[in-house]
Amino acid sequence: MGERYTAWVARLLGCTGAELVAVGRDRTPQAALARLVAATAEALVVADRTIEADPRVVSALAELGAGACLAVPLPTAGQAEPDDEAGVHAVLLAWHEDPRTWSSEELADLEELARVAALDTAAPAAGRSTATAPDAAEAESRRGLTLLSLSESLSATRSQADVAHAVELVALIQLGCSDADLWLLEDDHLRLLLPRGRDDVPALRVPLSHDRGPHGLVAVLGGSSVGAGPETGAADGPIGRPVGTAGPLVLLLPLTVGEQTLGVLDLRWEAPTRAADDRPMLEALASYTAQALQRAALLQERLDALITLQQSLLPRLRPIPGVEVAARYLPADSRDRVGGDWYDAVALPDGGCAVTVGDVVGHDVHAAAAMGQVRTVLRALAWSGSGGPAATLTSLDLALDGLGLDTLATAVVAHLRPGGSEDAGDSSWQLAWASAGHPPPVLLGLDGTTRLLEPTTPDGVDLMLGVAPGTDRDDRTLAVPAGSVLLLYTDGLIERGREHLDDGLDRLRGAVEEVAAGGGAASLDDLLDGVLTRVTGGGRADDIAVLAVRWGS
């Protein structure tokens, strides 16, 4: 039985290893971690062994060859939650070879698996035999619990991948399935919908035709299909796809909303089970799933529209003599955090260049609309030559107040102008910048090293826009050699959970220097792509705007 749960854990969490560990005196690192969990009857969450405070945890993870772990106690029989007074007899443990952040959803998944494992370990084997027919009350209770669990899980989903994850979890835990897949009908194809976090499975999109097995028949004609053995595709999976632990019993259900068929729900068991005979429950499960998929699709359309709106408000960067500019905008992974990040570059009438990056507070359509207004006003002020960066920000703050734009925003403005004497062999440029509560720009020198352009006030704090219009701001200036690169960005590039901001700044500087050392700075597009890949490899919790500018090269 333990192998079944550890396989589920490895699949759902995408971790290196997992084990159902009995609390005892074994000298293995898994047993050592289990004893630590049992002592508190609370979950153990370790994201990075190298910064873990407990030396016992560090020692056990080092011996296990793991950089992170997640462990939860199994409740004692008859309890909903673990209790240190009743004693913890087993622990469900997951570990990963590299450091990783465990999400609250992953912790909840592991705790749910632990509760089910506790029931399995407490129930007599005979009582769990599939040959014993449950009475009507028991069947009704199981049906209600399964549908309630699915309903609660689906209510929190925001994407179709979330729906696939919720269905997979309920199917594995509540129905005892060995596999649960969703296939979406798209024109004349079926596409495998991968659950959230399942990057280990290749995405499949196959032609839809009646001769490709029962999936196509179910999708096109409706109705359900039940089978066992290779003739149903159980051995190699539908349309030839390996499905891991798929067994001989396969149940295919159409996913329909009204007259529309969205796809097929593919449930598999290792052996015959009475759960497959409970058609009212399974049809309700398919109905709940179809409705959640439709709701997620509609939400995705809305979010895609917001992303399109946000990107349409960003400028098309025009060529500026003597200056190379490149920029990127990346939405957050969840795509419901579309916000007010912007970038801009403007040629100044005196031959200089003004570059800006900013962020309107908020993550909705109102923030995106406000961003468009703020960027337009700032662009007009910068081009009109209303003074240096500090004066431009002060004018912007007053304009937003006078125009009734009730919004808060951060921004950084930099001006670049040729400042050296070519006759004397001096090709340096004059850089002036000012900030309104924005993260400091990064300057990449010709030697490949970076420095932060710190805030312009003595106390290191620049007030954001919209707080106190008319606030005096100061410029800082610096002579920089031609060929240097200035990087402006929004906070989504450096902020990561509860991590200190300095850690994010150090990570960004390290990424810029690493890309530059590898020759990636020859093209600003390559520089930005390299930096974004290194800094955001673990995903994006917030949207990001970033702009790079090089002058006089």
Side-chain angles (χ1 to χ4, degrees), residues 265-283:
L265 172 60
D266 179 347
L267 301 176
R268 294 166 180 256
W269 290 266
E270 294 176 350
T273 173
R274 292 193 178 276
D277 296 329
D278 193 343
R279 289 308 181 86
M281 177 184 67
L282 294 173
E283 290 174 357

Side-chain angles (χ1 to χ4, degrees), residues 6 8-19 33 43-52 57 61 64-72 92-111 113 165 196-197 496-498 538:
T6 55
W8 286 351
V9 172
R11 170 174 176 164
L12 291 173
L13 303 188
C15 52
T16 303
E19 188 171 331
L33 292 169
L44 173 65
V45 183
V46 179
D48 189 344
R49 184 188 76 204
T50 61
I51 59 174
E52 171 60 33
V57 174
L61 289 178
L64 189 59
C69 77
L70 182 64
V72 297
L92 196 53
L93 169 67
W95 66 88
H96 201 72
E97 59 184 351
D98 299 316
R100 63 174 284 180
T101 300
W102 304 97
S103 68
S104 58
E105 292 85 1
E106 289 171 328
L107 176 58
D109 288 348
L110 196 64
E111 289 174 336
L113 281 171
H165 176 79
R196 165 172 49 85
R496 187 177 292 180
R498 298 181 179 179

Side-chain angles (χ1 to χ4, degrees), residues 7-8 11 172 177-180 234 242-248 268-271:
W8 286 351
R11 170 174 176 164
L172 295 180
C177 293
S178 57
D179 252 300
V243 289
T245 59
R268 294 166 180 256
W269 290 266
E270 294 176 350

Side-chain angles (χ1 to χ4, degrees), residues 318-325 351-353 355 416 429 549-553:
R318 301 177 61 185
I320 300 176
V323 176
E324 179 187 359
V325 183
C353 168
V355 291
L416 291 162
W429 284 51
V549 56
R550 175 164 41 210
W551 51 93
S553 57

Side-chain angles (χ1 to χ4, degrees), residues 103-360:
S103 68
S104 58
E105 292 85 1
E106 289 171 328
L107 176 58
D109 288 348
L110 196 64
E111 289 174 336
E112 179 65 20
L113 281 171
R115 281 192 285 272
V116 177
L119 293 175
D120 269 1
T121 56
R128 290 183 281 113
S129 171
T130 56
T132 303
D135 58 29
E138 181 183 349
E140 188 65 29
S141 175
R142 186 189 68 224
R143 180 184 301 127
L145 288 174
T146 300
L147 295 179
L148 176 62
S149 178
L150 180 65
S151 178
E152 290 178 345
S153 299
L154 292 178
S155 66
T157 59
R158 300 188 63 82
S159 69
Q160 292 188 330
D162 289 341
V163 174
H165 176 79
V167 171
E168 180 183 55
L169 194 63
V170 169
L172 295 180
I173 295 175
Q174 302 289 349
L175 301 181
C177 293
S178 57
D179 252 300
D181 292 323
L182 297 180
W183 292 85
L184 294 184
L185 182 61
E186 297 180 344
D187 298 325
D188 57 349
H189 286 73
L190 279 171
R191 176 173 64 86
L192 176 64
L193 178 59
L194 297 180
R196 165 172 49 85
R198 289 295 306 279
D199 297 330
D200 58 318
V201 178
L204 287 180
R205 190 170 183 268
V206 297
L208 177 67
S209 59
H210 289 191
D211 60 354
R212 298 304 295 268
H215 286 72
L217 291 172
V218 171
V220 174
L221 303 178
S224 61
S225 175
V226 182
E231 67 274 8
T232 64
D236 297 323
I239 48 187
R241 183 183 68 89
V243 289
T245 59
L249 182 61
V250 182
L251 174 62
L252 306 178
L253 292 163
L255 298 170
T256 59
V257 177
E259 299 297 323
Q260 181 183 10
T261 299
L262 304 181
V264 178
L265 172 60
D266 179 347
L267 301 176
R268 294 166 180 256
W269 290 266
E270 294 176 350
T273 173
R274 292 193 178 276
D277 296 329
D278 193 343
R279 289 308 181 86
M281 177 184 67
L282 294 173
E283 290 174 357
L285 185 148
S287 176
Y288 285 12
T289 301
Q291 293 175 50
L293 287 172
Q294 185 184 60
R295 184 174 64 249
L298 293 174
L299 177 61
Q300 190 61 53
E301 290 180 5
R302 175 178 175 272
L303 296 178
D304 289 343
L306 288 177
I307 295 294
T308 301
L309 169 63
Q310 207 277 349
Q311 292 178 331
S312 70
L313 295 173
L314 294 172
R316 293 184 179 180
L317 299 178
R318 301 177 61 185
I320 300 176
V323 176
E324 179 187 359
V325 183
R328 296 287 187 276
Y329 171 79
L330 299 177
D333 288 337
S334 66
R335 297 180 70 84
D336 62 345
R337 292 182 61 81
V338 59
D341 292 20
W342 85 84
Y343 57 79
D344 206 352
V346 180
L348 299 176
D350 63 0
C353 168
V355 291
T356 71
V357 163
D359 184 4
V360 170

Side-chain angles (χ1 to χ4, degrees), residues 395-464:
S395 297
L396 174 63
D397 211 0
L398 291 170
L400 296 180
D401 180 57
L403 295 173
L405 299 179
D406 185 17
T407 188
L408 298 173
T410 68
V412 60
V413 178
H415 287 183
L416 291 162
R417 291 182 173 87
S421 171
E422 294 185 4
D423 294 337
D426 182 4
S427 60
S428 64
W429 284 51
Q430 291 297 314
L431 169 64
W433 76 95
S435 174
H438 204 77
V442 174
L443 181 65
L444 173 64
L446 300 182
D447 61 355
T449 62
T450 61
R451 60 174 289 188
L452 297 177
L453 301 185
E454 299 294 351
T456 55
T457 56
D459 59 1
V461 178
D462 289 310
L463 203 59
M464 67 191 308

